[in-house]
Amino acid sequence: ETLHQTRKKTKMTKSNSVHLSLTREEAVILADWLYRNSRKEELFSDIAEQTVFWNIECILEKVLEPADYSEETLRQAKESLH
């Protein structure tokens, strides 16, 4: 059974929610990547995939500060994960 088949059989509800934990550095890097790529329609096979990325981007925008979007903060975040 594939993951896709499993998803089709499972009704997604709030009780099926998944919680992720990221460091601030990981969140900064992910937010940057999402900002640069989430509007590139060729990355997604359908609107559902694009919606997931947009939702994650919105969550990150709520928890990150404006300063987290600076080039310097991004550079430091990347260096810290090397």
Side-chain angles (χ1 to χ4, degrees):
E1 184 171 89
T2 67
L3 180 59
H4 180 71
Q5 291 167 331
T6 302
R7 285 181 181 162
K8 286 183 91 170
K9 289 196 301 190
T10 305
K11 183 179 179 186
M12 297 302 288
T13 63
K14 290 286 185 190
S15 62
N16 290 350
S17 65
V18 174
H19 299 271
L20 301 175
S21 178
L22 300 171
T23 64
R24 179 157 298 277
E25 290 82 6
E26 291 167 334
V28 166
I29 293 167
L30 179 57
D32 177 69
W33 187 90
L34 288 169
Y35 177 77
R36 289 183 290 111
N37 293 287
S38 66
R39 282 136 188 93
K40 296 179 181 176
E41 291 183 13
E42 67 273 8
L43 290 177
F44 308 102
S45 63
D46 58 39
I47 191 66
E49 290 179 357
Q50 194 169 27
T51 300
V52 170
F53 279 81
W54 286 341
N55 289 346
I56 294 170
E57 190 175 13
C58 289
I59 292 167
L60 291 171
E61 286 176 357
K62 289 179 183 178
V63 298
L64 294 175
E65 302 294 327
D68 290 325
Y69 290 94
S70 72
E71 289 296 320
E72 179 62 19
T73 301
L74 179 61
R75 183 190 62 73
Q76 290 173 355
K78 288 180 176 183
E79 284 180 4
S80 75
L81 294 175
H82 281 209

